[in-house]
């Protein structure tokens, strides 16, 4: 039985969608059906399709009481929007259905696990949100909330755990048919921790242990965990709030963290070995992964930044988009990300130049566009004489441009959208250290994927990724290259067609 609140939301999004149908949109990135979108939720493969749910406030382009929007895709590039799946319509989730995940039950039903939020008046008169974990089960369109909700609440917290910051369960089915889930939490001192739970059937849950403790290292509360095996290692992804910068690795504010280590299945103990940012750009948060039927671990993140996302114009009819799907691998203790290989099926006409040597600004015939896949390979013409700076500028005309630049002597790559048309005093640049001897000698590979409202940059075959949104008018499609010193470059560009 669907509730009146859910029916109203479904009717609203249908009507509003018709009204805003002509608005420009990202071409191959999933964006909000109407209104506001944040985190990816319930990313799963079910009945022959990928399902992507998302944090959703259909009624305005700003964050509000959270619903779960819903879209499906066969290839993760062409998306079809489905009716809103969850609305805040129960006592325990009356103030929002926050982030969560999905699994397929042995009887063929689709199970969603999400955070129910309900405000509670405190003894001092203030109001705080209590967060519990809840289940809904459905057929891929309609979902029924479980009568036993919430399935995890304060009774299932370790002594140190805050019931006000207890959210974003990521569940999975193990080989023996039982279930595990990780959830974000923090201590009374706001220090992040990831909790591990187990269940025989997905409905009855038991607290196992604190899987990882921040111990004051990376920001404060840890949101949106994901935990999986990859290339012989175990990987924990999480998005810490309130980070402080650490060199070029982590930046201020909400960030992303990847811990790579080993996991002892018997004792359920994770031993950390390496840490890194997931994305080094401006707009990337709360990623979630799925395993494809052919065994690839695919990640999608919310391509936005919490500190800037509420600064847009109120008349914007949709706000928020997902990143490209990225194939993950672990190599030499690092997380690598490559754009989903199916993106190559969208490639149309190819324009290719090899061994172009230049010392100032150049433009190349046919190299332009705002919906493109472009690979650059750059090197010094002479290994004894390394250039000082290389830049590629795109979404460019006489007024606007966004750039990716590289200085080999620092081995730092930078994305800069200062001149993209933004009128707000927000972060416009981010830098990333390319920690690699070849790069210090000026050898760099960069792949740039542009959609109408974003740029995603993959360095050295996915060793580093930098993502940023940009709102330059889609007709502004120039591209130029710049060298301070002498650069030799190969470039190949494809227009992408849906
Ligand atoms: C992360 C987050 C989650 C929460 C959701 C609410 O971006 O804060 O922790 O579940 O957004 O929309």
């Amino acid at each position: 039985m669907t509730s009146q609140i859910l029916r109203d939301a479904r009717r609203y999004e249908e009507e509003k969608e018709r009204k805003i149908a002509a608005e420009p949109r990202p071409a191959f990135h999933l964006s909000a059906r109407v209104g506001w979108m944040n985190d990816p939720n319930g990313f799963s493969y079910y009945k022959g399709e990928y399902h992507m749910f998302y944090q959703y406030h259909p009624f305005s382009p700003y964050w509000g009481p959270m619903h779960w929007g819903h879209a499906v895709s066969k290839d993760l590039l062409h998306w079809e929007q489905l009716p809103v799946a969850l609305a805040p319509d129960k006592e325990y989730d009356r103030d929002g259905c926050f982030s969560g995940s999905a699994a397929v039950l042995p009887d063929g039903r689709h199970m969603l696990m999400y955070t129910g939020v309900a405000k509670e008046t405190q003894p001092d008169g203030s109001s705080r949100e209590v967060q519990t974990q809840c289940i809904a089960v459905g057929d891929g369109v309609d979902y029924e909330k479980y009568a036993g909700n919430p399935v995890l609440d304060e009774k299932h917290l370790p002594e140190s755990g805050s019931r006000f910051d207890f959210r974003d369960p990521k569940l999975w089915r193990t080989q023996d048919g039982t279930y595990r889930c990780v959830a974000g939490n923090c201590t009374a001192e706001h220090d992040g921790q990831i909790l591990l739970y187990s269940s025989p059937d997905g409905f009855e849950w038991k607290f196992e242990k604190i899987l990882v403790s921040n111990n004051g290292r990376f920001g404060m509360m840890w949101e949106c965990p994901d935990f999986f095996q990859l290339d012989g290692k175990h990987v924990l992804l999480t998005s810490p709030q309130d980070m402080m910068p650490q060199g070029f690795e982590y930046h201020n504010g909400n960030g992303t963290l990847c811990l790579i280590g080993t996991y002892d299945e018997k004792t359920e103990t994770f031993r950390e070995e390496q840490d890194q940012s997931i994305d080094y750009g401006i707009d990337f948060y709360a990623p979630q992964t799925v395993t494809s039927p052919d065994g690839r671990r695919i990640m999608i993140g919310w391509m936005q930044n919490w500190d800037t996302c509420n600064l847009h114009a109120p008349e914007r009819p949709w706000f928020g988009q997902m990143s490209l799907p990225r194939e993950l691998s672990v190599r030499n203790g690092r997380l690598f990300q490559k754009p989903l290989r199916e993106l190559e099926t969208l490639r149309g006409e190819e324009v290719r130049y090899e061994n172009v040597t230049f010392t100032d600004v150049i433009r190349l015939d046919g190299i332009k566009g705002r919906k493109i896949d472009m690979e650059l390979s750059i090197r010094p013409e002479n290994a004894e004489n390394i250039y000082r700076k290389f830049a590629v500028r795109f979404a460019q005309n006489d007024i606007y441009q966004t750039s990716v630049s590289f200085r080999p002597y620092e081995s730092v790559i930078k994305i800069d959208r200062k001149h993209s048309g933004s009128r707000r005093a927000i972060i416009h640049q981010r830098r990333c250290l390319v920690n690699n001897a070849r790069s210090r000698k000026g050898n760099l590979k960069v792949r740039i994927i542009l959609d109408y409202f974003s740029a995603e940059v993959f360095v050295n075959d996915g060793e580093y990724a930098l993502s940023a949104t940009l709102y330059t008018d889609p007709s502004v499609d120039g591209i130029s290259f710049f060298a301070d010193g002498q650069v030799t470059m190969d470039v190949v560009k494809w227009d992408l067609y849906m």
Side-chain angles (χ1 to χ4, degrees):
M1 257 291 286
T2 52
S3 67
Q4 190 61 43
I5 294 177
L6 182 65
R7 284 198 297 278
D8 288 349
R10 285 184 168 184
R11 191 170 333 108
Y12 179 87
E13 64 177 359
E14 249 183 54
E15 284 166 12
K16 182 81 181 180
E17 186 181 47
R18 256 179 265 126
K19 286 195 198 130
I20 67 170
E23 289 287 332
R25 290 266 181 172
F28 49 92
H29 289 80
L30 178 64
S31 55
R33 182 173 179 182
V34 302
W36 161 279
M37 158 194 278
N38 59 289
D39 314 353
N41 292 161
F43 192 15
S44 52
Y45 190 80
Y46 178 62
K47 289 189 183 163
E49 286 180 313
Y50 292 97
H51 286 249
M52 176 58 92
F53 302 81
Y54 50 89
Q55 289 287 281
Y56 183 38
H57 184 235
F59 304 110
S60 87
Y62 297 97
W63 193 88
M66 279 291 117
H67 297 58
W68 274 36
H70 190 186
V72 288
S73 173
K74 291 222 182 324
D75 63 0
L76 294 170
L77 298 166
H78 298 81
W79 291 97
E80 181 198 342
Q81 297 276 3
L82 293 183
V84 50
L86 300 178
D89 54 11
K90 296 283 184 196
E91 256 322 279
Y92 52 82
D93 65 14
R94 60 180 185 266
D95 293 305
C97 300
F98 276 19
S99 285
S101 52
V104 181
L105 291 170
D107 64 8
R109 291 177 301 161
H110 202 200
M111 169 182 269
L112 311 181
M113 189 172 192
Y114 69 97
T115 300
V117 175
K119 288 193 180 131
E120 181 194 80
T121 305
Q122 303 304 298
D124 68 359
S126 67
S127 163
R128 292 194 74 178
E129 292 177 344
V130 175
Q131 304 187 333
T132 58
Q133 316 318 319
C134 306
I135 297 282
V137 175
D139 60 1
V141 178
D142 295 309
Y143 292 83
E144 179 105 29
K145 291 178 184 171
Y146 176 49
N149 278 344
V151 295
L152 286 173
D153 62 15
E154 60 188 291
K155 297 190 291 297
H156 304 85
L157 285 170
E159 210 180 311
S160 58
S162 161
R163 65 196 181 98
F164 306 115
D165 286 294
F166 176 33
R167 56 183 176 268
D168 312 335
K170 171 77 200 249
L171 88 160
W172 67 95
R173 196 154 167 241
T174 64
Q175 296 220 310
D176 67 9
T178 62
Y179 296 79
R180 296 288 178 284
C181 103
V182 282
N185 184 232
C186 65
T187 63
E189 292 74 42
H190 299 288
D191 197 24
Q193 55 189 9
I194 301 300
L195 309 181
L196 178 71
Y197 294 89
S198 70
S199 166
D201 56 3
F203 295 90
E204 293 287 322
W205 288 91
K206 173 170 157 264
F207 172 67
E208 288 292 335
K209 56 160 42 183
I210 299 173
L211 185 69
V212 187
S213 294
N214 183 24
N215 293 325
R217 296 171 297 166
F218 308 107
M220 302 185 80
M221 166 65 188
W222 284 7
E223 302 188 305
C224 301
D226 198 342
F227 187 57
F228 48 87
Q229 191 181 359
L230 187 62
D231 298 329
K233 292 284 172 189
H234 259 78
V235 176
L236 180 92
L237 307 180
T238 186
S239 296
Q241 295 181 316
D242 307 302
M243 290 189 91
M244 301 265 261
Q246 287 181 27
F248 287 107
E249 193 58 42
Y250 301 103
H251 54 69
N252 315 63
N254 287 42
T256 53
L257 171 67
C258 169
L259 297 175
I260 298 177
T262 50
Y263 186 60
D264 182 338
E265 305 266 351
K266 275 207 194 74
T267 58
E268 310 209 86
T269 308
F270 179 61
R271 195 162 53 81
E272 294 174 35
E273 290 164 1
Q274 313 277 349
D275 68 88
Q276 65 171 95
S277 273
I278 304 172
D279 190 285
Y280 296 80
I282 301 167
D283 296 304
F284 191 86
Y285 197 67
Q288 197 171 86
T289 68
V290 71
T291 312
S292 65
D294 62 2
R296 286 175 283 166
R297 182 58 68 165
I298 298 170
M299 176 182 79
I300 289 185
W302 178 45
M303 201 157 40
Q304 261 307 325
N305 174 325
W306 271 118
D307 282 328
T308 58
C309 61
N310 278 308
L311 299 175
H312 57 268
E315 59 279 4
R316 181 174 275 283
W318 61 269
F319 184 81
Q321 52 178 316
M322 295 300 172
S323 73
L324 265 181
R326 302 172 182 184
E327 294 181 15
L328 301 185
S329 59
V330 174
R331 277 190 256 162
N332 305 326
R334 270 198 76 81
L335 184 75
F336 276 67
Q337 306 170 48
K338 281 192 170 188
L340 185 81
R341 65 191 68 159
E342 284 81 350
L343 186 73
E344 291 160 32
T345 65
L346 306 184
R347 286 175 176 175
E349 195 202 340
E350 172 182 309
V351 182
R352 184 185 288 268
Y353 292 86
E354 271 162 19
N355 291 313
V356 184
T357 297
F358 57 105
T359 52
D360 198 354
V361 175
I362 57 159
R363 290 186 170 75
L364 297 169
D365 260 2
I367 302 282
K368 64 183 176 77
R370 279 293 288 280
K371 209 157 48 84
I372 62 164
D373 184 351
M374 180 165 68
E375 292 178 357
L376 310 175
S377 169
I378 59 169
R379 52 194 172 272
E381 216 237 336
N382 164 357
E384 304 301 305
N385 181 16
I386 300 178
Y387 58 90
R388 283 169 293 280
K389 179 179 169 185
F390 162 83
V392 47
R393 297 165 180 156
F394 47 87
Q396 186 182 29
N397 65 8
D398 293 344
I399 304 168
Y400 302 116
Q401 65 172 53
T402 294
S403 66
V404 170
S405 59
F406 180 64
R407 291 173 192 270
Y409 68 90
E410 298 174 319
S411 205
V412 166
I413 190 161
K414 179 169 89 176
I415 186 159
D416 185 345
R417 62 172 182 189
K418 189 164 67 247
H419 299 291
S420 66
S422 157
R423 291 178 192 275
R424 297 267 68 85
I426 60 174
I427 292 277
H428 290 113
Q429 304 178 344
R430 276 265 160 79
R431 292 181 296 169
C432 161
L433 178 69
V434 184
N435 197 3
N436 166 321
R438 277 181 57 73
S439 310
R440 288 181 211 284
K441 295 201 174 110
N443 299 285
L444 195 77
K445 279 169 82 176
V446 183
R447 182 168 171 195
I448 301 176
I449 317 279
L450 301 184
D451 195 348
Y452 293 128
F453 298 100
S454 63
E456 285 162 281
V457 180
F458 298 87
V459 182
N460 288 343
D461 298 313
E463 195 175 5
Y464 301 89
L466 296 92
S467 309
T469 54
L470 47 126
Y471 297 96
T472 318
D473 190 282
S475 65
V476 178
D477 66 353
I479 296 179
S480 66
F481 303 94
F482 167 80
D484 178 0
Q486 197 168 48
V487 167
T488 299
M489 172 177 77
D490 304 331
V491 50
V492 50
K493 185 221 71 170
W494 295 270
D495 289 316
L496 297 174
Y497 295 96
M498 292 302 283

